[in-house]
Amino acid sequence: MDKHNSIDHQLRATWQAVAKMYNEQAAKHNSTMATAFALLNIDFEDGTPSTSLGPLMGMEPTSLSRLLKSMEDKKLIFREKNPNDGRSVLIRLTDFGKEMREVSKGHVYQFNNKIREFLSENELETFFKVTTIINKLISDRLIYKDDIDKKAV
């Protein structure tokens, strides 16, 4: 199969281009795309339990710990005991973290708005439908025969 007609190639190449673009923007603010993504996933007012942040971002605990330590060092976040659950910690944004969250949000809006200038509503609906189907097929383990056979048992 020609790689240009391969769905996974197009997804990977597009995501790599998007990630590179976001990392270039983040670097202008002495940051990374991962940091910006974390800022966007932390509740602006109430903070977010550290145990919820990893699944929200699709990150493994070790990677998340390193990212949070870096964000703490940069004074973007602070940790606070969760008043509703003494065993867990809330990740909260500092004033600087809130400021940088707004910068990140602005870049996301700018990207989305620019793409929307070049696509019709119908094309966007089709894009979201296709990505939803791909995600569902993967999460339901319906891509590979050995996964399908295991489900039938």
Side-chain angles (χ1 to χ4, degrees):
M1 174 182 291
D2 176 25
K3 70 179 181 180
H4 298 290
N5 291 326
S6 168
I7 295 165
D8 62 315
H9 173 80
Q10 290 298 324
L11 288 169
R12 187 175 52 253
T14 301
W15 177 246
Q16 286 174 340
V18 170
K20 182 176 186 241
M21 174 197 68
Y22 276 142
N23 269 316
E24 287 170 356
Q25 292 304 309
K28 294 176 184 176
H29 302 279
N30 192 30
S31 190
T32 65
M33 183 183 76
T35 297
F37 191 48
L39 290 170
L40 292 169
N41 279 284
I42 298 170
D43 186 275
F44 193 84
E45 296 299 328
D46 300 323
T48 300
S50 57
T51 52
S52 302
L53 201 52
L56 277 174
M57 296 181 55
M59 287 184 88
E60 294 297 321
T62 307
S63 300
L64 181 63
S65 291
R66 274 194 306 269
L67 177 62
L68 293 176
K69 173 77 173 100
S70 168
M71 291 174 72
E72 214 168 14
D73 291 346
K74 292 178 180 176
K75 309 285 191 243
L76 294 165
I77 62 164
F78 63 96
R79 300 170 203 242
E80 174 180 281
K81 194 174 226 178
N82 188 339
N84 300 324
D85 180 358
R87 298 166 298 162
S88 79
V89 172
L90 285 177
I91 306 299
R92 298 182 58 96
L93 298 171
T94 62
D95 287 341
F96 179 54
K98 289 179 179 180
E99 181 184 318
M100 294 310 294
R101 182 183 194 272
E102 291 305 306
V103 169
S104 299
K105 201 159 109 178
H107 287 295
V108 171
Y109 280 137
Q110 189 173 353
F111 170 75
N112 278 269
N113 290 337
K114 182 55 76 174
I115 298 303
R116 289 175 185 278
E117 285 178 25
F118 289 85
L119 296 174
S120 69
E121 277 304 311
N122 190 43
E123 288 170 320
L124 281 169
E125 282 178 32
T126 301
F127 170 76
F128 287 119
K129 181 178 180 181
V130 167
T131 56
T132 298
I133 290 168
I134 291 169
N135 278 314
K136 178 133 180 60
L137 289 169
I138 292 168
S139 69
D140 290 349
R141 303 183 68 81
L142 295 173
I143 301 292
Y144 295 106
K145 185 174 179 350
D146 58 332
D147 286 341
I148 295 167
D149 291 344
K150 286 179 191 170
K151 288 184 77 161
V153 172

